[in-house]
Amino acid sequence: MKQSRQIDGLNNTQVLENRKLFGSNIIAPPVDKGSYSILLKEFKTPLSLTMLVMMLLSFAIAIYQTITNSSTSGVFYAPVSILLVVLVTSTISFILQMRTKHRFELLNKEDEAQSVKVLRNGNFSVVPRNDIVVGDVVILEVGDEVPADGILLESVAMHVNESVLTGELLVGKTTDSSKFNMDATYPSDRMLRGSIVTDGHGTMKVTMVGDHTEYGKVFHGAQTETDTQAPLMKQLLWIGRHITIISCILAILFCAGRVINFFIGHNADTPPEIIQYIIDTLMVAVTVIVVMIPEGLQLGINLSLTINMRQMLDSQNLIRNMHAGETIGAVTVICTDKTGTLTRNQMRVNSTYLPSINFKNLKENERAWDALVKNIAVNSTANLNITDSGLFAIGNPTEAALLIWLIDQCVDYRTIRSNTQIFEQCAFSTEKKYMATVVHTDNPSTDLLLVKGAPEIVIGMSAYFEVPEGAAPFEKSLRQHIELILLEYQLHAMRTLAFAYKIVKRDAKCFDDNGELMVHGLTMLGVAAIVDPIRPEVSDAVKECLSAGIKIKIVTGDTPATALEVGRQTSILAEYDTTDVHVTGSEFSAMNEEDAYECAKRIKIMSRARPMDKLRLVKLLQKHGEVVAVTGDGTNDAPALKAAAVGLSMGNGSAVAKQASDITILDNSFQSINRAVLHGRAFFRNIQRFILFQLSINLIAGLVVIFGSIITNGQIPLTITQMLWVNMIMNIAASVALVSLPPEAEVMQEVPHHGKSYVLSKSIRNRILTSSSIVVILLLVVLHYFMCNDILDLSEVFTRSYRMHFFTYNPNGTLTPYEASIFFSIFVVTQLWQLFNMKAFHTTCSVFSRLDKTSAFHIITAAILLGQILIVSLGGKLFNVVPLSFSDWMIIIGVTSIALVFGESFRLILWLRKRHQRKSVSSEELSKK
């Protein structure tokens, strides 16, 4: 509706005053935590703090030993090594986080220098978007992005794409209150920053700028820090705290036992000897704590997460928050937007009813086909951006869908337009609900009137209907038939347009002074049904999610009818579902907390949802104990994306949505979410394998140091530097080897590992205790054997003379460097065989299965063995080792391989048992049949 009024806009003085009063039209960027705070956070983990304390204590002991000349400069190897480990692990974790942060900053760049047409000082002028102030009068035309929130002053046939805030592609805007859509998310005369004008033109008065706009509120709501923490991070912190406590308790008990034993049996010792004994005891205690703390655990997990990020990037998932790569595997509910996520966010012609046109032979009724083509191509204000990557609408998305349909029929609308001369045109408006254009024909005495619009309007103007034989009278029965077709389209939430034409005299006046069509007796060609289509991969992806135990809820700003239809087409809404699985945003916001809590669990679809409705739903689902993922591409999705355990934005979504999300789906495919879940679940399984491997090593090392130091008369069988090599290099390489294992498809048939599911489950804890106890006993037996014998050549260990001395303990014996090197190598190579067992953990498969897909695993394990050989050959005093011969290594590898043989035998027994169970089940089913 067009209104006539004098509008001068603000003057320069008012612009300055309003900017001072109401602020500038700038969205304040989120507060950057800064590199320093991110780095400092890495040093505040329980493991890092404990290691720093042990480093200080170790330095103090080393300084004392140096001052009293009770030891050589080699005492500084341990504290310096601890310090280097803390620095390396924290720095690498910091670098990994900063790289991820930088990648997303590049993705989220937004141009704020857009030009805006305004009225100021009574004249038209163009200013940057940032320069807009409250009170400015902005001129809006097709293609313009609304620069701030405001109220319409004038409008002519205006429609906007509001999907960035409400999910709706086409919303009518008017200043006539009698024409307001009461079901709309926002009032029909309200313009919102970020919306795109798709039809018509008008002017608006700015009422809110910058952070005070709806766009700004949503943006800053998305930056609010939540207390939602990744399940894996929670559990790693739990593991770190408990390992620290347990190691400290064991060290204290060990110290207490040593001190009590000393004072009971050594009454005559001098004070210097007592101090030295206490110092030696403290050094063993420090060693116990250091070897039991998995220094490489956090770094190993972070490196594994980084590798997982790269693997997921190959499946079109760009991860911003590293832990989201694991958390996605624990998701139990996905709250998904409709527009751009389940649908293409691009209107398409779904169906047509054009009985007069034979698409196999268009020349059969050439007049009707020519009228339809010109009606779509010329009687339109839309355009298409035709690129190698696809067709993109410019202007009205409904009209653009018709242009795309023409191209699908091998008709270039641009050629038709350039070859057709327009005589007169009446633009579409919400009041008239049609658009009409008069074009010249090849006949110099006639013109062609083309009408396109709402079916009920076009039917009322038509007296004939085009059939294959030509124009036939538009009888009542034919009208009823078309109305039934339209009803079927509307039941499936499709938008419908009707087409009609009439041949009129050349230059005849077809419109009155108000732009109303004066011509009646049109010939109707038919109707088209237009819809934002479901992405082709969505239905299968939804079924796969549901079979994986993940519930899906549609949360959209679109109409109830559209939302329900999308739910039916995607199988999110089942045939047996009742009406209580759907709620509107206004109904949900009106509920008290108790009713909303119950509703959140029950519903599958929420329509007309506003940003705060989505946010409330996510928080209520989290109260139910759900691990919630939210998908979306619009600014309206940002608060919920931020609050969710995992926020999933689309690659072509808004910058605000990407900023709030944890993962961006680069190809905008719902199927990529399934691949992310697959990788997340496989990663969780691989992390369980790594933690089982890592904690077993540390428990074995701690117990060996405690009991071994008793057997060796206070000599530490595994030194700090040796265990730092194991924890920092071997275990980190092991984490990379395990995470490199390809995902197993069967994980998608399992229920989600809930956020409360422990990565250190009861079965894994039992496995750690059982396997560690066996290995500790065997290692202590080896250590006792070395104390009973002076081993000069490992190849002679199995001779009779050595066997005879097994029980002859030498209380004054010491562990020679050669024996210490053998013991250290036995410890490491045994764990290397255990790494192979970890590869097959959770399965009954042999470690030698899928060799073609696990080459990276085997290369890394070979590199670990080579590294151990180099450490022993070249480590010298730093690692308290001496070189071993080739035969020594062969014996060590051969003897310790019993760990792999035992594991393979155990898996074979499990496989035979499962096979027997399957046969029993099959026999029962056959007997029942």
Side-chain angles (χ1 to χ4, degrees), residues 270-440:
T270 62
E273 290 176 331
I274 294 173
I275 293 173
Q276 186 59 47
Y277 184 83
I278 292 173
I279 291 294
D280 292 342
T281 300
L282 285 175
M283 200 62 210
V284 175
V286 169
T287 305
V288 169
I289 294 173
V290 172
V291 301
M292 286 196 69
I293 290 178
E295 299 89 356
L297 178 62
Q298 186 66 55
L299 180 56
I301 296 292
N302 285 343
L303 283 174
S304 300
L305 285 165
T306 303
I307 294 170
N308 189 48
M309 286 172 63
R310 290 183 178 276
Q311 292 172 342
M312 292 180 71
L313 185 59
D314 292 337
S315 61
Q316 298 299 308
N317 295 286
L318 175 60
I319 299 179
R320 178 188 186 193
N321 175 4
M322 284 199 298
H323 288 278
E326 179 275 328
T327 309
I328 187 68
V331 162
T332 57
V333 176
I334 296 177
C335 294
T336 177
D337 185 30
K338 175 193 75 70
T339 308
T341 307
L342 298 176
T343 64
R344 293 182 178 180
N345 195 15
Q346 195 172 60
M347 305 297 280
R348 289 287 191 275
V349 175
N350 178 272
S351 183
T352 59
Y353 179 68
L354 301 162
S356 63
I357 297 173
N358 179 3
F359 286 94
K360 293 182 179 179
N361 184 11
L362 295 174
K363 292 186 177 181
E364 192 172 288
N365 192 339
E366 195 169 354
R367 182 185 62 182
W369 175 243
D370 180 68
L372 178 67
V373 167
K374 288 181 178 177
N375 211 328
I376 293 173
V378 182
N379 189 29
S380 171
T381 58
N383 275 289
L384 295 177
N385 180 16
I386 303 174
T387 67
D388 294 336
S389 56
L391 304 172
F392 302 96
I394 299 175
N396 187 300
T398 304
E399 290 187 334
L402 293 171
L403 297 179
I404 292 172
W405 181 82
L406 267 191
I407 290 176
D408 291 340
Q409 311 307 315
C410 302
V411 176
D412 187 343
Y413 79 94
R414 295 169 297 183
T415 303
I416 302 297
R417 280 187 184 176
S418 61
N419 294 334
T420 304
Q421 184 179 354
I422 296 175
F423 170 65
E424 198 173 8
Q425 190 171 70
C426 173
F428 180 90
S429 70
T430 52
E431 291 82 5
K432 297 193 299 287
K433 295 185 179 180
Y434 68 85
M435 179 176 182
T437 301
V438 180
V439 301
H440 292 318

Side-chain angles (χ1 to χ4, degrees), residues 158-173 185 194-199 337-341 343-348 393 395-401 495 530-533 556-559 562 608 633 636 652:
M158 181 173 281
H159 287 79
V160 298
N161 180 344
E162 226 173 55
S163 61
V164 72
L165 281 164
T166 65
E168 293 191 76
L169 284 168
L170 195 65
V171 180
K173 295 293 181 180
T185 310
S195 302
I196 306 293
V197 179
T198 57
D199 257 337
D337 185 30
K338 175 193 75 70
T339 308
T341 307
T343 64
R344 293 182 178 180
N345 195 15
Q346 195 172 60
M347 305 297 280
R348 289 287 191 275
N396 187 300
T398 304
E399 290 187 334
R495 294 177 180 175
I530 299 168
V531 68
D532 183 8
T556 177
D558 219 323
T559 63
T562 302
R608 291 297 187 195
D633 65 343
N636 58 322
N652 62 353

